[in-house]
Amino acid sequence: MSDLIERRRLTRKDWQRLAEAIVEEYNRRKKTRADLEYRWREIDRQLSMKPKVRFDPVSPWMQAFEVPWQATALETLLADAQRLSFPPSREWFTASASLSEKDFKGLDFASYIERDVVNQIGRAIDSRGPQIFANVVVRRFLEWIHRQQDYGAVWDLLNCEAFKYGTLTGQVRMARREVHLDTYRGVVRKEMMIPVLVPHSVKYVYLDDSPARLLREGEIIQPSPIRWMRMRYDDLVLAARKGSDDPKNDQGGWIAGNIGDIEGDNDGCVTLLEQEGDILIPRKAGEGIYVPNVIVSVALGGGKSGGGAAASVVRYREQKFPFRSYVIGHYQLDDVDAAYGTSPFMKGYPIQCAGSDALNRAMAGAALAVQP
């Protein structure tokens, strides 16, 4: 990161403008997809089989049932997706290790195989033997990583999001994991950081819908999703106290001084907006500051003066890798300029509404015929 955009060169006004810009962009994206969120809520109601609550004092006997079409379809789709993605009859992925000529020479391939077996097959081991062995080692290591978090269950949740809302969102993060190693001194417990895939609901992730990004023209500027979450104010203070202020540290980047500018609401909570990607800090005088590949967390809470909601940047992190941590997928995209996908349930929820209405009217008609 150049000297122009280092943290120490940003003034307090720059931090405030950055927080205001993220809040403004969040409100714009939320307003833009308001109709989409209405359909998502309707799908959630149908899948939970909660009938629409309606009270009619003239006919309180009117039936209110929800047909199970959507719920049954989701169960079938998830089972098929799990079976096709992780078939029990074969490996579901392949691994190819990248080995240089130096790696080939340095890899003591024969030491991993019994000596008598090496002598027997001898010439059968060609120059690609170390490559095949390295591929197996990488694959087994990835399988061990997947078992640490039940990788299949994570994708079951992500597929569920895609079938329901047309868009799945996840995030790759480093998690602390306790492992037990069997050494000559006995079993030793240690902690290690491993990558995990964390599923998110698209209902709380607002995708970048800028025209340059959607038309695949602005590839230099990467997309910047915004994630919404709630957090207790005391937990936020504790996290900042235990973390560091180093923006290059995955557990750091905390700006403890800015947390004191806000306070919790009536429930003792604050709203956090986390934007990841390339961000522009606007300035009233001169050009704005372009900050690439960062994660900025903004806290929304009550102001100390007792006024309205205050916005303050409480965390600022710089990404180590050039790619984003988000995994975003779509069941189907109807338009080239669409940020969100569509799904079978988004297409079929009006049919279920009609079916439920027909069922309730048929039952009401039967009740009137039997006991008018």
Side-chain angles (χ1 to χ4, degrees), residues 313-328:
V313 177
V314 296
R315 198 176 185 187
Y316 175 91
R317 286 168 288 172
E318 301 170 8
Q319 291 277 59
K320 295 181 180 179
F321 305 102
F323 51 83
R324 301 295 176 260
S325 66
Y326 276 89
V327 177
I328 300 174

Side-chain angles (χ1 to χ4, degrees), residues 95 97 130-143:
Q131 177 67 61
I132 297 174
F133 172 74
N135 294 345
V136 173
V137 171
V138 171
R139 184 168 62 186
R140 297 306 179 223
F141 175 74
L142 291 177
E143 290 175 348

Side-chain angles (χ1 to χ4, degrees), residues 243-290:
S244 67
D245 60 354
D246 183 7
K248 299 182 182 299
N249 188 344
D250 292 337
Q251 309 299 323
W254 291 98
I255 309 176
N258 290 350
I259 299 179
D261 296 337
I262 60 174
E263 60 183 8
D265 56 16
N266 294 332
D267 297 329
C269 298
V270 295
T271 298
L272 289 179
L273 302 178
E274 182 183 89
Q275 182 169 0
E276 175 181 340
D278 301 335
I279 301 175
L280 182 67
I281 303 177
R283 279 184 168 177
K284 292 184 178 180
E287 297 182 354
I289 303 177
Y290 173 65

Side-chain angles (χ1 to χ4, degrees), residues 90-194:
R90 59 179 175 83
E91 301 285 353
W92 62 272
F93 74 98
T94 59
S96 179
S98 177
L99 297 178
S100 62
E101 293 297 330
K102 182 179 180 181
D103 295 329
F104 276 112
K105 295 179 181 179
L107 181 60
D108 188 6
F109 175 65
S111 65
Y112 294 93
I113 305 178
E114 295 179 4
R115 292 297 178 179
D116 54 346
V117 177
V118 174
N119 294 332
Q120 291 176 12
I121 61 178
R123 300 176 183 177
I125 301 178
D126 56 10
S127 60
R128 303 305 297 176
Q131 177 67 61
I132 297 174
F133 172 74
N135 294 345
V136 173
V137 171
V138 171
R139 184 168 62 186
R140 297 306 179 223
F141 175 74
L142 291 177
E143 290 175 348
W144 180 82
I145 291 291
H146 295 156
R147 287 196 300 270
Q148 302 308 304
Q149 64 162 153
D150 196 354
Y151 196 68
V154 171
W155 272 104
D156 208 31
L157 294 174
L158 292 174
N159 288 331
C160 184
E161 291 284 309
F163 291 143
K164 291 192 297 184
Y165 314 125
T167 306
L168 64 88
T169 56
Q171 200 171 15
V172 178
R173 290 181 172 179
M174 299 299 293
R176 184 175 288 104
R177 173 73 173 178
E178 289 188 354
V179 296
H180 296 81
L181 305 177
D182 190 4
T183 65
Y184 70 94
R185 296 180 179 178
V187 178
V188 179
R189 187 181 68 177
K190 289 188 176 182
E191 290 185 348
M192 65 180 301
M193 301 295 292
I194 61 174

